[in-house]
Amino acid sequence: MPSASICPSVTPSATDPSDHLSLTTLTTRSPESLAYSYAIPGEPHAVSVARTSVHNALAAHGLADLLPPALQATGELVACAALFEPGQVLYLSVGWQQEGVRIVVWDPHTRHVDPDGSAKCAARRSKMLYLLACVVHECKGSWGVIRPAPAREGTRVWVNLPRQGAADYAAALC
């Protein structure tokens, strides 16, 4: 495969680490090295962007057997965050933790000063994430909401999908 470089002083060879087209970059990475973070807009199209990003990351790390529940979880988390903070920047991370995939979405939604307003807001978020809760339950995983401390902004919603439970869930869908 011929290689190309835009730098006029470098002529990469097929074994040169600067050759981003070499076959060594196309090999599957280990699940343990899965660690990606993305900034995404709080807009309707962000769900598709987020799902595509997570799909590519999982596939690159040999975790294609976890795609259905991970993509469902990603879509639910990002859609909910985008509805709570439309037009704001959201942060998505996907990583490997304790023999499974961990997905976290952060949005800038702050804690309400009024305790009743805070409780209603938390209940609304939980209700919106009902499908997520069902998927996580079927995968024998866990999920939760980390609400902001009084002096901090933002809300993080996380999901842990154990590899075996998520793979069993995905296999049962087919």
Side-chain angles (χ1 to χ4, degrees):
M1 170 187 314
S3 56
S5 173
I6 61 171
C7 178
S9 64
V10 174
T11 307
S13 67
T15 58
D16 188 332
S18 67
D19 180 10
H20 298 288
L21 300 176
S22 71
L23 292 177
T24 59
T25 61
L26 300 177
T27 59
T28 302
R29 272 92 173 133
S30 71
E32 292 79 16
S33 65
L34 178 71
Y36 297 90
S37 294
Y38 311 93
I40 54 177
E43 298 176 7
H45 75 276
V47 172
S48 175
V49 171
R51 287 173 50 99
T52 299
S53 299
V54 170
H55 180 279
N56 292 339
L58 293 178
H61 289 268
L63 298 168
D65 55 330
L66 308 183
L67 285 172
L71 297 181
Q72 258 183 314
T74 299
E76 293 296 312
L77 290 172
V78 172
C80 181
L83 288 171
F84 267 84
E85 288 296 333
Q88 300 296 311
V89 175
L90 311 174
Y91 293 94
L92 164 69
S93 69
V94 59
W96 187 254
Q97 182 177 329
Q98 300 172 353
E99 298 302 311
V101 172
R102 181 174 176 90
I103 303 166
V104 181
V105 172
W106 176 90
D107 65 63
H109 193 73
T110 59
R111 179 177 286 216
H112 297 273
V113 176
D114 172 33
D116 286 341
S118 186
K120 288 177 184 176
C121 188
R124 178 170 285 151
R125 188 182 295 261
S126 291
K127 189 174 184 177
M128 288 177 66
L129 293 172
Y130 180 74
L131 179 58
L132 172 77
C134 293
V135 170
V136 171
H137 175 77
E138 289 298 315
C139 293
K140 298 174 179 55
S142 57
W143 74 283
V145 178
I146 301 173
R147 291 181 181 76
R152 297 181 130 171
E153 286 188 15
T155 301
R156 286 182 292 158
V157 184
W158 56 270
V159 171
N160 290 332
L161 298 172
R163 185 168 196 173
Q164 188 60 55
D168 291 346
Y169 171 83
L173 295 176
C174 297

